[in-house]
Amino acid sequence: VKGSSEKVVAGIKPALQESFKASFQSSIIPAFESSCQTMFSQIHATFERGQAERMQADESQAAALSKLQALQTVAEDLTGKLHLLEARAESAAASALAAAAAGHATPSAPAPARAQPQETLEQLAARLTADLAEEKYDQVFSQVLSRSDLNLVTWLCKKVEPRYVFSKKSLTAPVILSLVQQLGFDLKTDSNVKVQWLRDAVASLDPQDPLVGSHVPVILRDLQLKLAAMERNAAEFPITQDNDFRILMHVLRSVIG
């Protein structure tokens, strides 16, 4: 019996193995592969969804940050413009006071527009040159500055050396302050002459002066802003590389404090 059983087992064993193998290949393996594919698809979908949500959150945060930065830039720009307008308003008021004081700094000097209404530019130049020869510096500069003509002021500055004029200490504080304000109005032309005069004029100003002291910082800060803008655009303003310009900036910082 035992031998018969072994023969039966031996006879059906190959058939069972083939049947199991066929069942494994046709059912179990495909089912396992399908389960794995489904699992990986779910994992991939979850990952993609997470990435999309993260990118959307990042984009929303970036957009919000961009808007915030834009608003901050606008606010800073408006603040800067407001400060500039305030400075210009104060500067204009200080300049008007300085010019008025300059026009009356020398009572003996008549106002050119009223005293000599028919005076030509050639006659004016001849008269001013004669007064310069007599070193009537405060009188000459007072008359010229009261006209608020930058071309005429520049012409006058070219006629004399600033170091010599300031060494005489003949210019009054209102005249010097008005000179600084008018020369600093436009530094694109005759930059060398204007910077040299500004260098010595600023050094001669006293913020504690009882007549113009309260206006000195206002006009000097306005000048400092203009010079700083020139430094940022050095290619257009080669004067910024000159030693006189650097000295002027140093003197400005020293006087303003």
Side-chain angles (χ1 to χ4, degrees):
V1 176
K2 182 177 180 180
S4 297
S5 298
E6 290 177 350
K7 287 181 180 180
V8 172
V9 172
I12 66 173
K13 182 177 181 180
L16 288 173
Q17 289 178 338
E18 287 299 324
S19 177
F20 179 77
K21 181 178 180 182
S23 177
F24 189 82
Q25 290 177 340
S26 63
S27 300
I28 298 178
I29 291 179
F32 178 75
E33 289 178 345
S34 178
S35 298
C36 289
Q37 186 175 3
T38 301
M39 180 181 66
F40 285 127
S41 296
Q42 292 175 346
I43 293 174
H44 179 72
T46 303
F47 177 77
E48 289 294 329
R49 185 168 60 252
Q51 286 291 95
E53 292 175 353
R54 179 178 179 182
M55 289 179 63
Q56 186 177 5
D58 290 344
E59 290 174 356
S60 299
Q61 184 178 5
L65 181 60
S66 178
K67 289 181 180 180
L68 179 61
Q69 291 175 339
L71 289 173
Q72 184 177 3
T73 300
V74 171
E76 290 176 352
D77 183 59
L78 290 175
T79 301
K81 288 181 179 179
L82 179 60
H83 289 164
L84 181 60
L85 288 174
E86 291 176 347
R88 286 180 177 177
E90 293 180 0
S91 178
S95 175
L97 177 62
H104 295 83
T106 52
S108 60
R114 289 180 298 175
Q116 300 180 19
Q118 302 302 320
E119 187 177 40
T120 65
L121 288 177
E122 290 77 10
Q123 292 171 333
L124 174 63
R127 179 169 59 81
L128 293 175
T129 300
D131 288 340
L132 287 176
E134 298 179 11
E135 298 189 352
K136 298 178 180 179
Y137 298 127
D138 196 64
Q139 175 178 319
V140 172
F141 275 90
S142 295
Q143 293 179 29
V144 171
L145 291 168
S146 65
R147 289 173 173 260
S148 297
D149 184 342
L150 183 56
N151 290 328
L152 186 59
V153 174
T154 305
W155 170 86
L156 176 59
C157 290
K158 291 179 179 180
K159 298 288 290 183
V160 285
E161 286 294 326
R163 292 189 183 278
Y164 182 77
V165 173
F166 285 102
S167 69
K168 294 292 184 178
K169 300 185 183 299
S170 58
L171 297 183
T172 57
V175 169
I176 296 174
L177 186 60
S178 181
L179 178 63
V180 169
Q181 195 276 333
Q182 293 193 36
L183 287 179
F185 180 77
D186 181 9
L187 293 167
K188 292 183 179 179
T189 59
D190 298 303
S191 301
N192 291 329
V193 174
K194 293 174 182 177
V195 166
Q196 289 175 5
W197 274 89
L198 285 170
R199 174 199 63 199
D200 294 344
V202 172
S204 300
L205 285 173
D206 180 9
Q208 305 302 320
D209 186 274
L211 185 58
V212 299
S214 61
H215 301 290
V216 169
V218 176
I219 291 181
L220 293 191
R221 286 195 192 98
D222 186 56
L223 175 61
Q224 191 177 40
L225 289 174
K226 293 177 181 177
L227 296 178
M230 291 172 63
E231 279 188 315
R232 291 192 296 270
N233 194 10
E236 185 179 350
F237 298 99
I239 186 66
T240 57
Q241 305 302 314
D242 287 2
N243 191 47
D244 286 331
F245 186 93
R246 296 190 182 96
I247 294 175
L248 172 58
M249 292 295 287
H250 175 74
V251 173
L252 273 171
R253 288 191 291 269
S254 177
V255 175
I256 294 176

